[in-house]
Amino acid sequence: MQMGEATQAMDGDRTIIIIGGGFSGAALAIQLAARGIPSTIVEARGQVARGAAYSTRDDEHLLNVPAGKMSLWPGRPHDFAEHVEEDGLGPQDFVSRRRFGEYVAAELARAATVGCVRVVRDRAVSARPDGEGWSVTLANGDRLDGAGLVLANGNQPPSPVPVDGLADERRIDNPWSPEGRAAIARLAQSGAPLLLLGTGLTMVDVALTLDRADYAGRATALSRRGQLPRAHVAQALTPLPTPIDEVPASLAAMVGWLRARAEKADDWRAAIDGMRPVTQAIWQRLSVSEQSRFLRHLRPWWDVHRHRIAPQAAAVVEAMVGDGRLEIVAGRAVRAIEADGLARIEVARRGGGTGVVEAAAVINCTGPLASLAKADDPLLQQMLGDELVMVDELGIGVKVDEGDRLAGLQRAWGIGPVTKGKHWEITAVPDIRLQAERIAGDIAANLAVTV
């Protein structure tokens, strides 16, 4: 069966409508299929089961963790590692994200062949309760009816490039869009000077793409702190166990505790990795004000240590810096003016002073949109406008309860990045696969009781 074609007729009284066909939506559909519960995935983009991260075709875009940690199934942790053995790869290898996307797509296709998944390639523009279930309207005017609704919208594209005076034709607002990828490919071939706004994971991906194209120009990567993601070490480390009752309750005390713990560990990565099983619980113990303080002041430091890159990727970035094709600058872009066929961008450097960066284009590498209320998503805007869903206190996701049910609604759930206000660490595969398993179990219990 080709993904996107209708499967056999499914039981409308039990079908769950999943808005979004990236990893979160696919993982949930697969878990539901394992329980015999049909689902309809609504996805406007060309691919399902991949999302932005796994839709890349560039083999140098590697997973940020080894293959042995990337299974779809919580109960079968080595499933993906076994899947790539045919490629001569092992559980400690950093596999291409393209390969992982193929693995998820194959699992979803398997669920579709038994009639438990269908994919509708259109944009959902509204969703409303309808009796005990939900009704979703598509951009083409069609209507889907289901027993439940799940928001799996994923990360929203970033805000427009925030540089005053920059000509529209020099802006690449979304490097993951087809238009953005094509523009970056053209610029790489031209060797034109570039400004990359942001120095995190997206910037690393853009740098890797430039290097693969033998980019001979000069790119400047700019962020407030000029921090790069740290690298994994080649040899696997044993995480340092973190009993949650040993973690200080206050944010300030927690920072000092973690620094001391990292100094005592054989490698600071072991201390960070040991927090993973309890990170969500720690986040939920913090008050909203402390969560806000973390987002304002500590998030950049946490991100570069927690969300690390493959050693191979780090080596490429280091080489580009070494040969002058990439410069990392701490500061912010102030304004741009046109001069001699390029944009001259004034940069206020961190610590004082100003400088000028010349660029043929500015690529937005700042990462996903930070404010859910600003999302350019008609369904989210409709549900927010109708007060069916509420933005969480931090403004970064929707309000959900302990079971990831949308607050105040029946038979409606959220999964993945749309729930990051509740969980914070809910963008990586190991976290989302557990969430998908929990939600599928909750849906199954709900249907068993009410259908």
Side-chain angles (χ1 to χ4, degrees):
M1 169 190 147
Q2 296 294 319
M3 294 306 296
E5 295 178 356
T7 65
Q8 62 191 26
M10 293 191 292
D11 182 357
D13 291 336
R14 289 172 51 82
T15 298
I16 304 300
I17 303 173
I18 301 173
I19 308 299
F23 177 75
S24 300
L28 179 60
I30 291 166
Q31 285 284 349
L32 289 172
R35 293 162 173 78
I37 300 172
S39 64
T40 296
I41 295 175
V42 182
E43 174 56 68
R45 293 171 297 188
Q47 293 182 318
V48 293
R50 289 173 172 85
Y54 308 117
S55 62
T56 178
R57 309 307 297 172
D58 296 342
D59 283 337
E60 70 272 13
H61 291 166
L62 304 177
L63 296 170
N64 292 330
V65 296
K69 298 182 180 180
M70 290 293 288
S71 171
L72 260 170
W73 304 95
R76 288 151 41 196
H78 303 297
D79 191 61
F80 178 60
E82 293 169 358
H83 194 79
V84 297
E85 282 181 354
E86 63 192 55
D87 301 333
L89 299 168
Q92 297 305 320
D93 287 319
F94 291 85
V95 180
S96 72
R97 299 207 302 263
R98 173 191 60 79
R99 189 71 177 85
F100 183 75
E102 292 171 352
Y103 158 73
V104 179
E107 291 291 302
L108 186 64
R110 186 174 295 113
T113 59
V114 297
C116 278
V117 179
R118 121 178 127 115
V119 178
V120 174
R121 296 181 184 276
D122 204 340
R123 181 177 294 277
V125 296
S126 69
R128 292 181 173 86
D130 184 13
E132 292 187 350
W134 281 82
S135 177
V136 172
T137 302
L138 306 178
N140 68 4
D142 288 349
R143 192 177 101 166
L144 301 175
D145 295 316
L149 177 76
V150 180
L151 298 184
N153 309 64
N155 284 313
Q156 298 297 307
S159 299
V161 170
V163 180
D164 291 340
L166 186 68
D168 288 344
E169 61 267 22
R170 297 201 187 278
R171 300 171 182 267
I172 300 178
D173 287 321
N174 183 2
W176 294 113
S177 68
E179 299 80 9
R181 291 175 179 176
I184 292 170
R186 291 193 300 270
L187 290 162
Q189 292 295 326
S190 73
L194 302 172
L195 176 61
L196 315 182
L197 286 185
T199 58
L201 296 176
T202 302
M203 186 282 295
V204 171
D205 276 352
V206 171
L208 294 174
T209 297
L210 293 173
D211 180 73
R212 184 190 188 200
D214 295 325
Y215 177 65
R218 180 179 179 84
T220 301
L222 175 71
S223 69
R224 293 293 181 97
R225 295 167 180 82
Q227 290 288 317
L228 287 171
R230 304 317 194 246
H232 286 280
V233 292
Q235 298 298 319
L237 296 170
T238 301
L240 192 63
T242 306
I244 192 169
D245 56 2
E246 293 183 7
V247 182
S250 77
L251 189 61
M254 196 184 307
V255 171
W257 169 85
L258 182 55
R259 284 175 175 163
R261 187 175 174 82
E263 289 174 359
K264 291 179 181 178
D266 292 336
D267 189 289
W268 60 264
R269 296 166 184 82
I272 295 290
D273 292 349
M275 292 182 67
R276 179 168 199 139
V278 295
T279 299
Q280 292 183 359
I282 293 171
W283 176 257
Q284 290 164 11
R285 287 195 321 186
L286 297 174
S287 65
V288 172
S289 63
E290 287 197 307
Q291 290 173 345
S292 297
R293 285 176 56 208
F294 172 86
L295 294 177
R296 288 196 307 271
H297 304 297
L298 296 177
R299 175 183 175 178
W301 305 100
W302 173 258
D303 282 352
V304 298
H305 290 86
R306 166 68 182 83
H307 300 287
R308 302 190 291 277
I309 57 177
Q312 301 95 311
V316 171
V317 172
E318 183 179 356
M320 291 183 70
V321 171
D323 64 23
R325 289 183 297 151
L326 179 65
E327 180 185 11
I328 309 299
V329 175
R332 60 183 179 86
V334 179
R335 64 183 63 86
I337 60 171
E338 288 289 320
D340 301 324
L342 295 171
R344 290 175 56 83
I345 300 149
E346 180 184 344
V347 172
R349 293 182 177 271
R350 185 175 179 87
T354 60
V356 173
V357 175
E358 292 186 338
V362 177
I363 303 174
N364 191 348
C365 301
T366 56
L369 185 70
S371 173
L372 189 74
K374 296 179 180 178
D376 184 21
D377 183 312
L379 181 136
L380 284 176
Q381 290 300 327
Q382 172 264 319
M383 294 188 76
L384 288 169
D386 290 351
E387 298 184 346
L388 291 172
V389 297
M390 296 173 284
V391 176
D392 61 50
E393 290 87 348
L394 299 169
I396 61 177
V398 297
K399 281 190 176 181
V400 293
D401 66 13
E402 297 300 322
D404 291 310
R405 304 176 195 91
L406 299 181
L409 296 176
Q410 297 295 319
R411 290 195 182 179
W413 293 261
I415 186 172
V418 77
T419 66
K420 59 188 172 185
K422 175 70 174 179
H423 302 292
W424 179 239
E425 289 282 321
I426 198 64
T427 58
V429 166
D431 302 310
I432 295 174
R433 70 187 178 201
L434 288 171
Q435 187 185 32
E437 185 180 56
R438 289 197 310 268
I439 293 174
D442 192 37
I443 290 173
N446 185 286
L447 293 178
V449 169
T450 60
V451 172

